[in-house]
């Protein structure tokens, strides 16, 4: 029930002293206390009744109200029987903490208010639950829920006063009920997605309880209704593509009826998920056709004709052929018994969505095909601009995975890897074959790096970064040992910091003044250290070749 309903009930004798903007708050229970600190008995949403016996002077009001507000109570109702008028210091403290404050007429017993609240809350919960279950059943039998997941979540918000969100496996918000108010912060979404994926990899059944800050969430997996759910299914086949329902509540003490209801809600949302996947079929087919033409060496004119068909589907209303980028992703699991291509395809369709977009359909302009363990995305760019440094805008590998690295790492656990490569933008069909090879080569560069989630872009293919990952391990070890081991041994024995000095000297392009300033050394001290480096390695740091050798050795070590 709402606070407004309490105020409108004359028999309760309540008079509003502050917080009229908060009267739509929900009351989930009632508690009577005269303790100075009742926090251990509060769970949030209560109407707190007090006779003010805890107040000895004006200084007591602020800490008492702060405790109530921190516990998330709905409102405070203070009786007038003890002190007559409610003290101004209590009114001020409640206003400061945005806690609605009522005065209870001395003729009204707290027991009367308690009985009324308990009766109303219990009756409304029972009625709301029955109504939602009935609506849920009717919606399930009438096909997909019209309006998408938001409609289903609005039922939870309006009928059960539950704040809930649908999130993708990377933590992107897909839907949220109106009662949820402000969107979840990006870091909270990423945390919830990571916890969901980690729990799913352990095989634990949902809902999973997660506390972020002071808020508890219950996470319900949303599994596609079109997929097999038999015991033979490996969780790795779907864990990185399943959505989740995050409910701001602790579901561990819920009755079975309410848990069944939430499971039914996930089924409804799964219907919407299946519908979205079906809508992607055309785009996936277009990508497959274009890529087959590119890989089989078809004539540019044939590829261009297929692109002209794809452009209106991916970018309706554009009126001109766009530029294109190619993104290649590969998901590999230890043992090699799980095909990674479909998983990589779903991930690319998610990762390539603008992280600031919401809703289930912002990936309508991405076409992704897959073969084996590899997925290939054909990404249209309406326009390509040139940046200040001369590079062209578009997808950048180093930012593509930034927001999703933590959730995906949890889903990959310790037996999976995602590697991704991004090509430069191309302006015609003739450039697609080269873009595909460029993206694949960038992905191989990413695969040579440590970590569960790695990416590389076309910019890195024009520097030494391209070469280093493919140097055999024994060659790398021999090269770095020959140059750096004498310096490391000397540092161990004398604490001379020759390795940090060498790194700083190269980073300052051999400038004595800048390097000495960075290391907070006198130039003569720096010259002594560099001389010792040259003596121990028989190299000359004034020569470009020796500088380059040291630079590469440090990069490979």
């Amino acid at each position: 029930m709402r606070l407004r309903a309490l105020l409108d009930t004359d028999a309760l004798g309540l008079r509003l002293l502050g917080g009229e903007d908060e009267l739509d708050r929900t009351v989930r229970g009632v508690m009577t206390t005269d303790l100075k600190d009742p926090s251990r008995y509060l769970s949030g949403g209560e109407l707190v009744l007090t006779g003010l016996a805890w107040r000895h002077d004006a200084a007591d009001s602020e800490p008492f109200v702060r405790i109530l507000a921190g516990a998330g109570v709905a409102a405070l109702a203070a009786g007038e029987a003890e002190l007559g008028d409610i003290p101004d210091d209590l009114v001020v403290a409640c206003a400061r903490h945005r806690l609605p404050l009522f005065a209870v007429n001395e003729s009204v017993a707290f027991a009367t208010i308690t009985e009324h609240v308990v009766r109303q809350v219990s009756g409304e919960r029972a009625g709301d639950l029955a109504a939602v279950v009935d609506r849920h059943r009717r919606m399930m039998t009438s096909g997909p829920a019209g309006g998408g997941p938001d409609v289903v979540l609005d039922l939870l918000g309006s009928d059960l006063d539950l704040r809930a969100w649908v999130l993708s496996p990377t933590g992107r918000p897909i839907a949220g009920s109106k009662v949820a108010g402000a969107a979840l912060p990006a870091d909270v979404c990423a945390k919830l997605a990571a916890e969901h994926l980690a729990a799913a990899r352990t095989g634990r059944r949902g809902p999973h309880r997660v506390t972020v800050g002071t808020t508890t969430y219950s996470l319900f997996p949303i599994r596609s209704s079109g997929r097999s759910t038999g015991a033979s299914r490996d969780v790795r086949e779907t864990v990185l593509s399943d959505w989740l329902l995050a409910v701001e509540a602790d579901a561990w003490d819920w009755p079975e009826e309410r848990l069944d209801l939430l499971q039914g809600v996930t089924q409804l949302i799964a219907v919407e998920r299946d519908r979205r996947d079906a809508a992607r079929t055309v785009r996936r087919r277009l990508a497959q056709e274009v890529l087959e033409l590119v890989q089989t060496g078809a004539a540019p004119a044939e590829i261009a004709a297929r692109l002209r068909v794809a452009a209106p589907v991916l970018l309706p209303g554009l009126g001109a052929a766009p530029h294109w980028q190619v993104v290649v992703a590969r998901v590999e699991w230890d043992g090699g018994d799980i095909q990674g291509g479909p998983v990589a395809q779903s991930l690319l369709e998610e990762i390539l969505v603008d992280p600031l977009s919401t809703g289930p359909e912002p990936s309508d302009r991405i076409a992704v095909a897959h073969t084996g363990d590899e997925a290939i995305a054909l990404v249209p760019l309406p326009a390509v601009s040139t940046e200040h440094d001369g590079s062209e805008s578009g997808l950048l590998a180093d930012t593509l995975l930034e927001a999703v690295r933590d959730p995906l790492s949890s889903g990959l656990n310790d037996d999976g890897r995602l590697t991704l490569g991004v090509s430069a933008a191309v302006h015609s069909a003739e450039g697609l074959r080269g873009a595909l090879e460029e993206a694949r080569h960038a992905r191989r560069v990413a695969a040579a790096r440590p970590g569960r989630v790695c990416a590389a872009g076309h910019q890195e293919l024009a520097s030494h970064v391209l070469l280093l990952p493919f140097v055999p391990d024994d060659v790398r070890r021999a090269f770095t040992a020959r140059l750096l081991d004498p310096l490391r041994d000397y540092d161990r024995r004398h604490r001379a910091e020759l390795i940090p000095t060498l790194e700083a000297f190269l980073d300052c392009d051999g400038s004595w003044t800048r390097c000495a300033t960075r290391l907070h050394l006198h130039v003569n001290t720096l010259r002594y250290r560099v001389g010792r480096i040259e003596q121990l390695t028989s190299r000359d740091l004034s020569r470009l070749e020796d500088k380059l050798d040291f630079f590469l050795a440090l990069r490979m070590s």
Side-chain angles (χ1 to χ4, degrees):
M1 65 181 305
R2 307 286 177 176
L3 288 175
R4 193 180 304 279
L6 290 175
L7 188 63
D8 292 340
T9 304
D10 294 336
L12 299 183
L14 297 178
R15 188 172 79 258
L16 183 66
L17 300 181
E20 60 183 16
D21 293 337
E22 307 290 336
L23 291 179
D24 285 327
R25 289 189 182 186
T26 300
V27 179
R28 297 187 177 92
V30 62
M31 174 187 168
T32 301
T33 184
D34 276 315
L35 295 173
K36 294 184 71 171
D37 182 1
S39 57
R40 73 182 68 181
Y41 305 109
L42 297 170
S43 58
E46 296 93 348
L47 171 67
V48 174
L49 305 173
T50 181
L52 299 178
W54 50 267
R55 183 187 177 278
H56 300 295
D57 56 46
D60 292 336
S61 291
E62 167 64 25
F64 181 77
V65 173
R66 184 171 62 249
I67 289 170
L68 298 188
V73 306
L76 174 64
E80 295 178 322
E82 182 74 19
L83 301 178
D85 291 339
I86 305 303
D88 290 340
D89 48 90
L90 182 60
V91 176
V92 171
C94 288
R96 182 181 298 116
H97 291 279
R98 300 180 63 86
L99 182 67
L101 175 62
F102 298 101
V104 182
N105 189 281
E106 61 181 347
S107 64
V108 178
F110 282 176
T112 301
I113 300 174
T114 300
E115 181 181 356
H116 177 84
V117 171
V118 170
R119 185 171 59 251
Q120 291 295 319
V121 169
S122 299
E124 288 181 9
R125 283 180 177 172
D128 286 346
L129 186 58
V132 173
V133 170
D134 180 62
R135 258 183 275 190
H136 154 252
R137 288 172 178 162
R138 284 187 281 110
M139 292 176 75
M140 286 292 288
T141 56
S142 63
D150 299 272
V151 172
V152 184
L153 297 188
D154 284 342
L155 285 178
L156 292 180
S158 61
D159 289 24
L160 290 181
D161 198 32
L162 288 175
R163 290 158 53 91
W165 299 265
V166 176
L167 304 178
S168 77
T170 64
R172 180 175 62 86
I174 292 171
S177 59
K178 292 184 178 66
V179 76
L184 283 176
D187 59 335
V188 174
C189 292
K191 173 71 172 176
L192 295 179
E195 293 289 343
H196 161 71
L197 291 173
R201 286 305 311 272
T202 65
R204 286 186 287 138
R205 296 184 60 186
H208 311 300
R209 183 171 62 176
V210 177
T211 300
V212 181
T214 59
T215 305
T216 298
Y217 300 88
S218 295
L219 310 180
F220 295 80
I222 299 172
R223 298 187 175 93
S224 172
S225 60
R227 299 175 188 159
S228 169
T229 57
S232 61
R233 188 190 70 170
D234 193 308
V235 67
R236 294 176 295 178
E237 295 178 6
T238 59
V239 67
L240 296 178
S241 56
D242 285 337
W243 290 352
L244 68 139
L245 175 66
V247 181
E248 188 180 309
D250 187 347
W252 280 26
D253 58 354
W254 281 3
E256 288 297 323
E257 292 83 359
R258 181 168 289 203
L259 287 173
D260 289 344
L261 168 67
L262 267 292
Q263 295 296 347
V265 168
T266 65
Q267 294 172 23
L268 278 175
I269 298 172
V271 172
E272 291 297 304
R273 171 66 190 270
D274 290 343
R275 182 190 59 77
R276 187 207 60 169
D277 283 346
R280 285 180 170 174
T281 301
V282 173
R283 299 191 298 278
R284 288 174 172 177
R285 186 182 301 121
L286 283 172
Q288 195 72 45
E289 292 174 355
V290 171
L291 291 169
E292 285 178 1
L293 291 174
V294 170
Q295 294 184 100
T296 56
E302 188 176 359
I303 299 173
R306 180 54 57 187
L307 285 177
R308 283 194 294 272
V309 173
V313 175
L314 299 177
L315 289 174
L318 187 64
H323 306 288
W324 304 88
Q325 272 183 287
V326 175
V327 181
V328 172
R330 192 176 183 90
V331 172
E332 297 170 289
W333 303 101
D334 292 351
D337 53 341
I338 302 295
Q339 190 180 46
V343 180
Q345 182 181 44
S346 295
L347 276 181
L348 271 188
E349 289 172 336
E350 173 62 33
I351 291 170
L352 295 175
V353 173
D354 182 348
L356 298 179
S357 64
T358 58
E361 305 295 349
S363 58
D364 280 348
R365 297 180 177 183
I366 300 166
V368 186
H370 78 83
T371 55
D373 289 330
E374 183 182 70
I376 303 168
L378 193 64
V379 183
L381 304 174
V384 175
S385 60
T386 301
E387 306 293 343
H388 296 301
D389 60 1
S391 63
E392 291 183 336
S393 63
L395 299 175
L396 299 176
D398 55 351
T399 59
L400 205 52
L401 297 178
E402 185 176 343
V404 301
R405 190 178 305 276
D406 289 344
L408 293 183
S409 295
S410 296
L412 292 164
N413 201 359
D414 57 358
D415 60 347
R417 285 199 80 198
L418 167 66
T419 52
L420 184 146
V422 182
S423 79
V426 295
H427 315 288
S428 64
E430 289 86 345
L432 273 182
R433 185 177 181 84
L436 176 59
E437 290 305 313
E438 189 174 54
R440 281 177 167 161
H441 208 89
R443 192 208 63 79
R444 288 193 289 271
V445 170
R449 296 171 174 168
R452 290 288 165 191
V453 181
C454 298
H458 62 92
Q459 302 92 335
E460 301 178 60
L461 304 186
S463 75
H464 66 279
V465 176
L466 172 62
L467 304 177
L468 294 186
F470 303 103
V471 177
D473 287 343
D474 54 345
V475 175
R476 292 161 69 101
R477 285 192 294 268
F479 183 73
T480 57
R482 188 178 303 117
L483 280 175
L484 301 183
D485 279 2
L487 306 182
R488 290 173 177 145
D489 292 341
Y490 193 87
D491 280 348
R492 261 194 308 271
R493 292 196 309 269
H494 303 284
R495 297 183 180 179
E497 297 188 357
L498 297 184
I499 291 290
T501 300
L502 175 62
E503 291 175 332
F505 186 72
L506 295 175
D507 196 42
C508 292
D509 299 322
S511 168
W512 297 99
T513 304
R514 282 194 289 127
C515 184
T517 301
R518 174 180 294 191
L519 296 176
H520 306 289
L521 297 174
H522 192 279
V523 173
N524 288 342
T525 303
L526 176 61
R527 290 184 185 277
Y528 172 80
R529 288 188 184 181
V530 171
R532 179 63 66 184
I533 292 171
E534 293 174 333
Q535 181 184 20
L536 291 170
T537 59
S538 301
R539 296 296 183 113
D540 182 356
L541 277 168
S542 66
R543 299 178 65 245
L544 176 61
E545 294 87 344
D546 288 341
K547 286 180 183 176
L548 180 58
D549 284 347
F550 277 122
F551 175 80
L552 293 175
L554 289 169
R555 283 299 181 94
M556 288 191 292
S557 63

